[in-house]
Amino acid sequence: MTERTPISPRTVGICCLLLGAVLFSCKGVIIKLAYGYEVSSISLLGLRMIFSLPLFLLIGYFRGGKKGQRAEMTGRDWLTIITLGVVGYYLASYTDFLGLQYLSASMERVILFTYPTLVLILQRLVFGTRIRPVQWGATLLCYLGIVVAFAGSDFGIGTNFLRGAALVFLSGLLYSTYVIGSGRLAPRIGNVRFTSLALVTAAIAVICHVSVSSEPVLGLPKMVYAYAVVMAIFCTVIPSYLVTEGIKRLGAGDAAIVGAIGPVATVLLEYYFLGEIMTVLQAAGAACIVAGVVIIGRSKG
């Protein structure tokens, strides 16, 4: 019998990141569908995290590792995780939800996925991490693909476009801190443990925000709750663990570049759910992004 070649950790990491990026990309489309029922951004975000919180608690409890086998966490570790949960996830999600009120799901993905470059630059500035030529090359190829893919698209630019673009860019910058923090903490304290603690913190922050706001989470249309449940399970809980696992195996820089597949996934999802038409330019851009992902996948860390 032929002996099977074992799957490399990088391949597993890339698969986790690709699936996570696709699932995260569903979020923008679901949010746009939910906004059709005139629900506010904070109400929708609140429902997303209310439904996510029990799952994060259960997964963290049962899959976070046995007490005697878990790495010890310092006070600095706890402070870092709380900060990442609040800044890198809660505030990043909130600004993204706000931005989607003014932008199409496609435009939101384009701007949000500037974060791979932000991750590389922030790591260089804060930690002195060297940026490898292959990372720059793959990043440029991915961004070329994004530009080409959306060159002929109608983004619905209006008076609030700059406001929405600024909010989504801020979301990408804040999320970059989560990606970097995950890459540094998750390998030491555990993927599931880190993700559960950070996302529980984010969920609590969101619920506190909703509780002091005047926006309702009760008495909304049934479809809003259905969208929120789908978003919680498939666009929050599952991809959060997949992405953290991918970052653990590839590192924050390469993981961020692989995540650039997200805008292409959004184009396909918009075509299927929102009736958007995929053009030749969008297909060409998708090919460039996939090529960038393949380059990272075949490169050595």
Side-chain angles (χ1 to χ4, degrees):
M1 294 181 65
T2 304
E3 185 177 348
R4 293 184 178 180
T5 303
I7 301 175
S8 70
R10 285 187 67 82
T11 301
V12 174
I14 289 170
C15 291
C16 289
L17 286 165
L18 289 176
L19 180 56
V22 171
L23 291 175
F24 271 137
S25 296
C26 297
K27 181 192 66 177
V29 175
I30 294 175
I31 291 171
K32 297 298 287 188
L33 291 171
Y35 278 162
Y37 293 88
E38 299 183 354
V39 60
S40 70
S41 57
I42 188 57
S43 294
L44 191 57
L45 177 58
L47 289 173
R48 175 198 185 193
M49 300 311 285
I50 287 170
F51 291 132
S52 298
L53 180 57
L55 298 176
F56 285 127
L57 290 171
L58 287 172
I59 294 172
Y61 180 79
F62 288 107
R63 304 293 298 175
K66 295 181 180 180
K67 187 173 182 180
Q69 299 174 347
R70 294 182 300 192
E72 290 293 331
M73 288 181 58
T74 65
R76 184 176 181 180
D77 291 337
W78 283 104
L79 180 60
T80 300
I81 288 176
I82 291 172
T83 302
L84 291 174
V86 172
V87 176
Y89 210 98
Y90 153 56
L91 290 179
S93 297
Y94 183 50
T95 51
D96 185 40
F97 273 60
L98 289 175
L100 272 165
Q101 292 180 320
Y102 311 109
L103 303 174
S104 69
S106 294
M107 191 70 242
E108 178 257 359
R109 286 290 106 176
V110 173
I111 298 172
L112 187 62
F113 274 85
T114 56
Y115 87 85
T117 301
L118 297 175
V119 168
L120 293 175
I121 293 173
L122 287 175
Q123 287 196 126
R124 177 65 178 175
L125 293 175
V126 178
F127 302 108
T129 305
R130 185 177 69 89
I131 302 174
R132 293 179 285 123
V134 69
Q135 289 178 314
W136 279 123
T139 298
L140 291 174
L141 189 57
C142 286
Y143 279 104
L144 173 63
I146 291 172
V147 171
V148 171
F150 296 98
S153 299
D154 178 13
F155 295 127
I157 297 177
T159 56
N160 290 318
F161 174 78
L162 290 179
R163 180 187 300 177
L167 285 167
V168 174
F169 180 80
L170 177 59
S171 174
L173 179 62
L174 295 173
Y175 183 66
S176 298
T177 65
Y178 179 84
V179 173
I180 294 170
S182 174
R184 291 184 168 271
L185 269 182
R188 180 164 61 82
I189 70 172
N191 167 29
V192 173
R193 190 182 181 195
F194 169 84
T195 304
S196 298
L197 291 173
L199 273 295
V200 165
T201 300
I204 292 173
V206 170
I207 292 170
C208 289
H209 185 161
V210 173
S211 66
V212 299
S213 73
S214 58
E215 300 296 338
V217 292
L218 299 176
L220 297 171
K222 292 181 179 179
M223 281 305 300
V224 172
Y225 295 106
Y227 286 135
V229 170
V230 171
M231 189 161 44
I233 297 172
F234 297 103
C235 306
T236 305
V237 176
I238 294 175
S240 293
Y241 289 101
L242 287 172
V243 168
T244 306
E245 182 65 26
I247 294 171
K248 175 184 174 181
R249 293 173 181 268
L250 268 71
D254 287 353
I257 298 169
V258 173
I261 198 71
V264 178
T266 302
V267 171
L268 297 174
L269 290 166
E270 279 197 324
Y271 171 76
Y272 187 80
F273 290 104
L274 303 180
E276 299 288 340
I277 298 175
M278 188 173 185
T279 66
V280 174
L281 283 176
Q282 289 171 340
C288 289
I289 294 173
V290 170
V293 171
V294 170
I295 289 173
I296 282 296
R298 295 179 65 88
S299 68
K300 295 181 180 181

